[in-house]
Amino acid sequence: MSLAGHLAGAAGSSMASAAGRSVGQAIGRPLDGLPVPGSGTTSRSEIDWVDFNYPPFLRLIHFNLEELPVTLTGLVRCLHISFQMTVLGCFMNFLFTAILLASIKAPARWLLQSAIHALLLPCAALATFYAGYRGLAEQDPLLAGRAKVAQPALAFVYFLLGFVHWGCANGLLQLAFMKEQSDGSVLWVVVIIIESIIWLSNAALGTSNFIRMRQHTASHLLTSGAGHF
């Protein structure tokens, strides 16, 4: 495996594991220090965070765009789309890897790698999305700060998946190395193009989300500071 492959693998595992550790802190239960319905305290929003309704069937978190102010719906929608693109990219990679194993001389370990990606990355992306969504809605600096750290980290992982050549990742550089396992498979070329578009688009979206979150929190701090004068 190339140096870029080792770096990509280490970075991907580290980023996904780090973000995944925040799942227990941000998903599936009320957060410490934040008011909940019936607690006798007043929340900054009227959102019932313990009404778990998302993702479909799993119901790990509460999510409803209609409960947000207009100023937040666009940003939270983009955070949500990034999570959806992560799930789509992992699903497509697992499906395509299974097909490629049957059609070319691809190592069987690629399927295991793809399965690990499909387990870790969506969990990390969901935790990041929820931290950003709830942090913005509740104006909670801790959750918003976690999202602002995790989102660019995930964007970097998405960039690696869309560009580098290593294992089951079908980045653009795979076009230069695919002859090691195949004599110019047209299917593989199509797979590389599709996956690269998904991951690179998600990397760009994740970067945009990070910038917009920083701008939003900065403008909120300025507004709050001006209110004290």
Side-chain angles (χ1 to χ4, degrees):
M1 186 182 293
S2 64
L3 176 60
H6 284 293
L7 291 175
S13 299
S14 176
M15 300 299 185
S17 298
R21 283 194 296 269
S22 66
V23 173
Q25 299 174 324
I27 293 179
R29 62 180 177 83
L31 297 180
D32 295 336
L34 287 179
V36 297
S39 63
T41 59
T42 302
S43 174
R44 297 177 187 175
S45 70
E46 299 300 326
I47 299 175
D48 184 1
W49 294 109
V50 294
D51 177 24
F52 304 134
N53 61 355
Y54 190 84
F57 306 110
L58 296 178
R59 300 180 182 275
L60 299 174
I61 66 172
H62 176 79
F63 174 56
N64 188 349
L65 276 177
E66 296 180 358
E67 297 172 334
L68 293 174
V70 177
T71 54
L72 291 179
T73 53
L75 176 53
V76 172
R77 182 179 290 109
C78 288
L79 291 170
H80 182 223
I81 291 174
S82 182
F83 162 66
Q84 291 178 314
M85 291 181 68
T86 303
V87 175
L88 174 63
C90 290
F91 172 77
M92 297 292 283
N93 179 258
F94 185 81
L95 177 63
F96 288 150
T97 300
I99 295 174
L100 290 173
L101 285 178
S103 59
I104 64 173
K105 299 177 181 178
R109 67 175 181 274
W110 285 9
L111 194 62
L112 177 60
Q113 292 173 356
S114 182
I116 293 174
H117 291 174
L119 176 64
L120 293 180
L121 283 176
C123 289
L126 180 61
T128 302
F129 155 61
Y130 185 64
Y133 162 49
R134 185 163 179 173
L136 291 169
E138 292 283 348
Q139 300 175 20
D140 183 86
L142 178 60
L143 281 178
R146 289 176 183 171
K148 286 188 288 186
V149 171
Q151 185 68 88
L154 284 175
F156 178 66
V157 173
Y158 300 152
F159 172 78
L160 292 178
L161 291 172
F163 185 74
V164 303
H165 152 68
W166 67 282
C168 66
N170 291 303
L172 289 176
L173 288 181
Q174 189 74 275
L175 292 171
F177 294 92
M178 59 183 296
K179 291 183 180 179
E180 297 177 3
Q181 272 88 27
S182 171
D183 296 328
S185 170
V186 176
L187 173 62
W188 202 358
V189 172
V190 174
V191 167
I192 292 171
I193 293 174
I194 292 175
E195 289 195 31
S196 297
I197 290 174
I198 293 174
W199 291 121
L200 293 178
S201 297
N202 204 5
L205 180 60
T207 303
S208 173
N209 290 340
F210 166 68
I211 294 173
R212 293 177 65 187
M213 279 192 291
R214 282 182 59 89
Q215 292 174 340
H216 178 85
T217 52
S219 63
H220 173 70
L221 289 175
L222 289 175
T223 303
S224 300
H228 293 294
F229 289 100

